[in-house]
Amino acid sequence: MSMLGSSSPSRRRSAPLLAACVAGAAVATLRRHIGADIGAFLPPAAARAVVQPAGQPAAGAGVGVVGEEASGAAAASPSATVGAGSLATAVAALAVAAAANRGERRGPAAISRSRLRATGLDEAPPEIMEEALEKKASAEAAVASGAAVVTPRSSGGTVSLNLAVQRMWTRADYLHVHAISGIIHTGIGLIYILDVLVADLATLSGTPTSTQLPFDIVLFSMLAGAANAVSGLQVTLMPRPFKDVWQLLGFGEDGNLKSAGFVNTAVFYFILSYQSLRVLPSYPEFLQPLDPAFAFASLLALVHAIFIINSWVGKGLSQGFALGISLPLLLNVPVSYHLLLGGQAWVENLSTVYPGWPDLFFSANYALAWAGSFVTLVLSLYERKVTDLNGRLLLTVFTGAITFAMIPLRGYLSVPEWFQGQWMVMLTLTPPS
């Protein structure tokens, strides 16, 4: 306020012009975003909103934030008013009051990222931070006009399709590569898994049926999945906060376990995709020397995944559940072991004994890679508040249901010997001598 009081006459004369320019930008933004609830974009711990200054009437002097819990009064009740301790809000309110006393009109000031850091919003995903900047700018514009701000709340934690697209189709994604490749991979992958499942169910019922989706399209979806995994590692898309690679990977006291999970899932996508292609008869011979590198990388990624899972213990995850998640990951150890020490000889021996194994192994690893990618999408939907906790749970259960229905059924039809007493061969993938 002292800075405003000491401004030179030239600055005071130029203030209305500057305010008009800023207000024009805010109006352009509001045309796209009017009516959205800024609280829906923020983490609960960081949610802040413009509030009615204490001691002032609701009409024309302050701003109330009214949710669906309010009874429709012009001012928000204490239970519906959020963020009364926001320093940025207090400064904005004082600035407007001073301008009104001088008979001046001022537009909304641009919100700096330093003010976001004061509220903890800088830890939100970039696209949410970006939208929050725009929404709060419009709220400050409402402060200047003395209007009450009514923030509609969606029922059941759901959002409109338009708002969901805005949150997922973000400018933080370079050329929208991550979104486009994710749509292609998710869509084709789901069709392929359902295609295999329906064909195998028909075969099991006595009507031998083959899959209908061309294999070239399946391979194309794997390329899209690779692009999706790489583009998902854009710094602008990773969950905050992280200051270095060490923290990004979840290590240290302040390790970001969310970003570490995204990185680990992306790495595992490439590992599972390589393993699924490796056993096909058409796999190029000149790529076979990559076996040791991928085998070693898979072992490191496995250790990292178990570390991340167990780091959540004490933060809402029980030790028993962490163990239950970690144990199935160990089933990939025999694959890494055989590729590291056996390579092509191991693939040929197992394929000779079990002719249906290559097809089973491809389908199983494809489904697992797709499931990991889809679960990452579900977590992104939850992080960006496109779905709530119940939606996240249902989508995760659906993913596990179709994946783990397809793999055993495919195995039973492709390699029936494994279900007739050869359990150790199935678990270790060691050809019988």
PDB file of all heavy atoms in Angstrom, residues 191-201 211 363 406 409-410:
ATOM      1  N   ILE A 191      -9.384 -52.890 -27.374  1.00  0.00           N
ATOM      2  CA  ILE A 191     -10.037 -53.707 -28.408  1.00  0.00           C
ATOM      3  C   ILE A 191      -9.323 -55.050 -28.562  1.00  0.00           C
ATOM      4  O   ILE A 191      -9.956 -56.110 -28.676  1.00  0.00           O
ATOM      5  CB  ILE A 191     -10.068 -52.953 -29.751  1.00  0.00           C
ATOM      6  CG1 ILE A 191     -10.970 -51.717 -29.638  1.00  0.00           C
ATOM      7  CG2 ILE A 191     -10.546 -53.856 -30.881  1.00  0.00           C
ATOM      8  CD1 ILE A 191     -10.927 -50.818 -30.858  1.00  0.00           C
ATOM      9  N   TYR A 192      -7.992 -55.023 -28.561  1.00  0.00           N
ATOM     10  CA  TYR A 192      -7.220 -56.267 -28.721  1.00  0.00           C
ATOM     11  C   TYR A 192      -7.470 -57.230 -27.564  1.00  0.00           C
ATOM     12  O   TYR A 192      -7.707 -58.431 -27.771  1.00  0.00           O
ATOM     13  CB  TYR A 192      -5.735 -55.949 -28.825  1.00  0.00           C
ATOM     14  CG  TYR A 192      -4.858 -57.180 -28.780  1.00  0.00           C
ATOM     15  CD1 TYR A 192      -4.810 -58.064 -29.862  1.00  0.00           C
ATOM     16  CD2 TYR A 192      -4.081 -57.470 -27.659  1.00  0.00           C
ATOM     17  CE1 TYR A 192      -4.016 -59.207 -29.826  1.00  0.00           C
ATOM     18  CE2 TYR A 192      -3.289 -58.595 -27.611  1.00  0.00           C
ATOM     19  CZ  TYR A 192      -3.259 -59.462 -28.696  1.00  0.00           C
ATOM     20  OH  TYR A 192      -2.473 -60.592 -28.648  1.00  0.00           O
ATOM     21  N   ILE A 193      -7.427 -56.718 -26.327  1.00  0.00           N
ATOM     22  CA  ILE A 193      -7.622 -57.594 -25.167  1.00  0.00           C
ATOM     23  C   ILE A 193      -9.023 -58.190 -25.180  1.00  0.00           C
ATOM     24  O   ILE A 193      -9.204 -59.396 -24.934  1.00  0.00           O
ATOM     25  CB  ILE A 193      -7.367 -56.800 -23.870  1.00  0.00           C
ATOM     26  CG1 ILE A 193      -5.879 -56.445 -23.768  1.00  0.00           C
ATOM     27  CG2 ILE A 193      -7.797 -57.606 -22.650  1.00  0.00           C
ATOM     28  CD1 ILE A 193      -5.548 -55.550 -22.600  1.00  0.00           C
ATOM     29  N   LEU A 194     -10.035 -57.375 -25.478  1.00  0.00           N
ATOM     30  CA  LEU A 194     -11.401 -57.905 -25.553  1.00  0.00           C
ATOM     31  C   LEU A 194     -11.549 -58.878 -26.714  1.00  0.00           C
ATOM     32  O   LEU A 194     -12.273 -59.882 -26.606  1.00  0.00           O
ATOM     33  CB  LEU A 194     -12.392 -56.745 -25.696  1.00  0.00           C
ATOM     34  CG  LEU A 194     -12.498 -55.803 -24.493  1.00  0.00           C
ATOM     35  CD1 LEU A 194     -13.460 -54.665 -24.797  1.00  0.00           C
ATOM     36  CD2 LEU A 194     -12.938 -56.562 -23.245  1.00  0.00           C
ATOM     37  N   ASP A 195     -10.855 -58.620 -27.820  1.00  0.00           N
ATOM     38  CA  ASP A 195     -10.889 -59.517 -28.972  1.00  0.00           C
ATOM     39  C   ASP A 195     -10.326 -60.887 -28.609  1.00  0.00           C
ATOM     40  O   ASP A 195     -10.916 -61.935 -28.927  1.00  0.00           O
ATOM     41  CB  ASP A 195     -10.091 -58.887 -30.116  1.00  0.00           C
ATOM     42  CG  ASP A 195     -10.195 -59.690 -31.406  1.00  0.00           C
ATOM     43  OD1 ASP A 195     -11.201 -60.401 -31.592  1.00  0.00           O
ATOM     44  OD2 ASP A 195      -9.274 -59.597 -32.235  1.00  0.00           O
ATOM     45  N   VAL A 196      -9.181 -60.895 -27.936  1.00  0.00           N
ATOM     46  CA  VAL A 196      -8.571 -62.153 -27.506  1.00  0.00           C
ATOM     47  C   VAL A 196      -9.467 -62.872 -26.508  1.00  0.00           C
ATOM     48  O   VAL A 196      -9.669 -64.096 -26.581  1.00  0.00           O
ATOM     49  CB  VAL A 196      -7.177 -61.894 -26.899  1.00  0.00           C
ATOM     50  CG1 VAL A 196      -6.617 -63.172 -26.261  1.00  0.00           C
ATOM     51  CG2 VAL A 196      -6.219 -61.381 -27.962  1.00  0.00           C
ATOM     52  N   LEU A 197     -10.023 -62.118 -25.572  1.00  0.00           N
ATOM     53  CA  LEU A 197     -10.870 -62.720 -24.549  1.00  0.00           C
ATOM     54  C   LEU A 197     -12.118 -63.354 -25.151  1.00  0.00           C
ATOM     55  O   LEU A 197     -12.488 -64.494 -24.800  1.00  0.00           O
ATOM     56  CB  LEU A 197     -11.256 -61.644 -23.529  1.00  0.00           C
ATOM     57  CG  LEU A 197     -11.957 -62.098 -22.251  1.00  0.00           C
ATOM     58  CD1 LEU A 197     -11.108 -63.116 -21.504  1.00  0.00           C
ATOM     59  CD2 LEU A 197     -12.264 -60.902 -21.363  1.00  0.00           C
ATOM     60  N   VAL A 198     -12.756 -62.663 -26.082  1.00  0.00           N
ATOM     61  CA  VAL A 198     -13.969 -63.211 -26.712  1.00  0.00           C
ATOM     62  C   VAL A 198     -13.624 -64.444 -27.547  1.00  0.00           C
ATOM     63  O   VAL A 198     -14.347 -65.457 -27.506  1.00  0.00           O
ATOM     64  CB  VAL A 198     -14.643 -62.128 -27.588  1.00  0.00           C
ATOM     65  CG1 VAL A 198     -15.742 -62.740 -28.449  1.00  0.00           C
ATOM     66  CG2 VAL A 198     -15.210 -61.017 -26.720  1.00  0.00           C
ATOM     67  N   ALA A 199     -12.533 -64.382 -28.307  1.00  0.00           N
ATOM     68  CA  ALA A 199     -12.129 -65.527 -29.132  1.00  0.00           C
ATOM     69  C   ALA A 199     -11.815 -66.747 -28.269  1.00  0.00           C
ATOM     70  O   ALA A 199     -12.206 -67.877 -28.595  1.00  0.00           O
ATOM     71  CB  ALA A 199     -10.925 -65.152 -29.990  1.00  0.00           C
ATOM     72  N   ASP A 200     -11.131 -66.536 -27.156  1.00  0.00           N
ATOM     73  CA  ASP A 200     -10.775 -67.661 -26.291  1.00  0.00           C
ATOM     74  C   ASP A 200     -11.993 -68.231 -25.579  1.00  0.00           C
ATOM     75  O   ASP A 200     -12.088 -69.445 -25.358  1.00  0.00           O
ATOM     76  CB  ASP A 200      -9.717 -67.222 -25.276  1.00  0.00           C
ATOM     77  CG  ASP A 200      -8.356 -67.020 -25.910  1.00  0.00           C
ATOM     78  OD1 ASP A 200      -8.178 -67.424 -27.080  1.00  0.00           O
ATOM     79  OD2 ASP A 200      -7.462 -66.455 -25.252  1.00  0.00           O
ATOM     80  N   LEU A 201     -12.922 -67.378 -25.204  1.00  0.00           N
ATOM     81  CA  LEU A 201     -14.151 -67.877 -24.584  1.00  0.00           C
ATOM     82  C   LEU A 201     -14.959 -68.713 -25.571  1.00  0.00           C
ATOM     83  O   LEU A 201     -15.538 -69.751 -25.200  1.00  0.00           O
ATOM     84  CB  LEU A 201     -14.989 -66.702 -24.069  1.00  0.00           C
ATOM     85  CG  LEU A 201     -14.483 -66.006 -22.803  1.00  0.00           C
ATOM     86  CD1 LEU A 201     -15.312 -64.758 -22.509  1.00  0.00           C
ATOM     87  CD2 LEU A 201     -14.523 -66.964 -21.609  1.00  0.00           C
ATOM     88  N   THR A 211      -8.719 -64.439 -33.407  1.00  0.00           N
ATOM     89  CA  THR A 211      -8.907 -63.003 -33.187  1.00  0.00           C
ATOM     90  C   THR A 211      -9.162 -62.296 -34.514  1.00  0.00           C
ATOM     91  O   THR A 211      -8.709 -62.738 -35.575  1.00  0.00           O
ATOM     92  CB  THR A 211      -7.667 -62.401 -32.506  1.00  0.00           C
ATOM     93  OG1 THR A 211      -6.512 -62.679 -33.295  1.00  0.00           O
ATOM     94  CG2 THR A 211      -7.469 -63.006 -31.117  1.00  0.00           C
ATOM     95  N   SER A 363       0.814 -62.155 -25.941  1.00  0.00           N
ATOM     96  CA  SER A 363      -0.478 -61.624 -25.486  1.00  0.00           C
ATOM     97  C   SER A 363      -0.424 -61.220 -24.018  1.00  0.00           C
ATOM     98  O   SER A 363      -0.945 -60.160 -23.634  1.00  0.00           O
ATOM     99  CB  SER A 363      -1.582 -62.665 -25.695  1.00  0.00           C
ATOM    100  OG  SER A 363      -1.710 -63.003 -27.064  1.00  0.00           O
ATOM    101  N   MET A 406      -7.990 -62.621 -19.147  1.00  0.00           N
ATOM    102  CA  MET A 406      -7.453 -63.005 -20.447  1.00  0.00           C
ATOM    103  C   MET A 406      -6.218 -63.900 -20.329  1.00  0.00           C
ATOM    104  O   MET A 406      -6.099 -64.916 -21.019  1.00  0.00           O
ATOM    105  CB  MET A 406      -7.097 -61.764 -21.259  1.00  0.00           C
ATOM    106  CG  MET A 406      -6.708 -62.052 -22.699  1.00  0.00           C
ATOM    107  SD  MET A 406      -5.611 -60.801 -23.423  1.00  0.00           S
ATOM    108  CE  MET A 406      -4.037 -61.343 -22.768  1.00  0.00           C
ATOM    109  N   LEU A 409      -6.765 -67.673 -19.174  1.00  0.00           N
ATOM    110  CA  LEU A 409      -7.537 -68.371 -20.196  1.00  0.00           C
ATOM    111  C   LEU A 409      -6.694 -68.608 -21.443  1.00  0.00           C
ATOM    112  O   LEU A 409      -6.739 -69.706 -22.040  1.00  0.00           O
ATOM    113  CB  LEU A 409      -8.784 -67.548 -20.545  1.00  0.00           C
ATOM    114  CG  LEU A 409      -9.719 -68.139 -21.603  1.00  0.00           C
ATOM    115  CD1 LEU A 409     -10.209 -69.518 -21.177  1.00  0.00           C
ATOM    116  CD2 LEU A 409     -10.893 -67.204 -21.860  1.00  0.00           C
ATOM    117  N   ARG A 410      -5.918 -67.604 -21.832  1.00  0.00           N
ATOM    118  CA  ARG A 410      -5.026 -67.753 -22.978  1.00  0.00           C
ATOM    119  C   ARG A 410      -3.991 -68.837 -22.707  1.00  0.00           C
ATOM    120  O   ARG A 410      -3.676 -69.651 -23.581  1.00  0.00           O
ATOM    121  CB  ARG A 410      -4.323 -66.425 -23.249  1.00  0.00           C
ATOM    122  CG  ARG A 410      -3.611 -66.347 -24.584  1.00  0.00           C
ATOM    123  CD  ARG A 410      -4.610 -66.279 -25.704  1.00  0.00           C
ATOM    124  NE  ARG A 410      -4.021 -65.828 -26.936  1.00  0.00           N
ATOM    125  CZ  ARG A 410      -4.644 -65.821 -28.095  1.00  0.00           C
ATOM    126  NH1 ARG A 410      -5.899 -66.247 -28.173  1.00  0.00           N
ATOM    127  NH2 ARG A 410      -4.061 -65.406 -29.189  1.00  0.00           N
TER     128      ARG A 410
END
